[in-house]
Amino acid sequence: MARLLLTSNGFANKVIELHLGVNHFGRGKDNDFQIEHATVSTRHCDIELTDQGLVVRDCNSTNGTFLGDEPVQEAVLSAGQTLRLGEVEFVVDNIDVKVAIPKFEMPRPAPPVVLSDGALICPRHPQAQVTHRCTFCREVLCDTCVRRMRRRGGKVLKLCPLCSHPVEALGPEKKRKKKFFGLLQSTVKLPFLHARKTGGREPDQS
């Protein structure tokens, strides 16, 4: 996981292990990392760790947040850079992040039932056909079995409930049915366009 080295005198090269999400730094006791120094504000800055990288944001501190010798309000951190809060100096040791995919506890079922047309019935849900297969353990799953985890940016991961590895669709995935208003729009669109082309007049039937 990403970490900082506190290199200022009196801190004995203390190692700070950052957690995923927002890390609060300051002199106050309610911060994630309390830095007891006169030049550090009660709430000095936030350092956010995501799967996209490491970002520092100053929280209107009295003595400022610096990257190298440059004061910053917000900046992306890279390994090897020097970060300074007031007169307290850190070195960015690394910016690695490990995102742990949760494992879902689920007993392994009996083998799936094969229908005469070759389709498979889900062993967990007898009324549903198999739609996905795990890329790791090769377990077959119906749509209900698949575990979905939404990531930053709206991307959805589809995961196996047994081993938490990604699953793949067997054949083309079914499109979602149109909602009522979308269906209504498609049914009235053509007459409306036709009326516009004819200036609102009924077409000549002669």
Side-chain angles (χ1 to χ4, degrees), residues 68-175:
D69 293 322
E70 294 295 324
V72 295
Q73 289 298 315
E74 180 174 326
V76 176
L77 300 178
S78 301
Q81 289 182 312
T82 299
L83 175 68
R84 182 161 53 85
L85 312 185
E87 295 180 5
V88 179
E89 193 170 275
F90 303 79
V91 172
V92 182
D93 186 47
N94 71 60
I95 58 172
D96 296 337
V97 57
K98 295 179 181 178
V99 179
I101 298 176
K103 290 191 175 183
F104 306 100
E105 296 296 331
M106 198 169 189
R108 187 174 293 276
V113 175
V114 182
L115 301 179
S116 57
D117 61 357
L120 300 178
I121 294 296
C122 177
R124 301 171 193 80
H125 304 94
Q127 305 303 318
Q129 289 191 13
V130 167
T131 56
H132 293 78
R133 179 173 56 198
C134 178
T135 58
F136 183 76
C137 71
R138 313 308 292 174
E139 183 68 25
V140 291
L141 312 159
C142 71
D143 195 61
T144 303
C145 293
V146 176
R147 297 293 183 263
R148 291 167 173 80
M149 187 173 74
R150 187 172 295 278
R151 299 191 67 186
R152 188 166 183 164
K155 184 178 180 180
V156 177
L157 288 178
K158 294 184 177 182
L159 306 174
C160 174
L162 299 177
C163 68
S164 298
H165 283 76
V167 300
E168 59 186 358
L170 296 177
E173 296 197 54
K174 292 183 179 180
K175 294 183 178 179

Side-chain angles (χ1 to χ4, degrees), residues 26 43-44 57 59 68 71 90 100 122 126 132 144 161-162 176 179 199 205:
R43 175 74 173 277
H44 199 101
R57 298 183 182 91
C59 296
F90 303 79
C122 177
H132 293 78
T144 303
L162 299 177
R176 293 186 176 182
K179 293 184 178 179
Q205 301 295 330

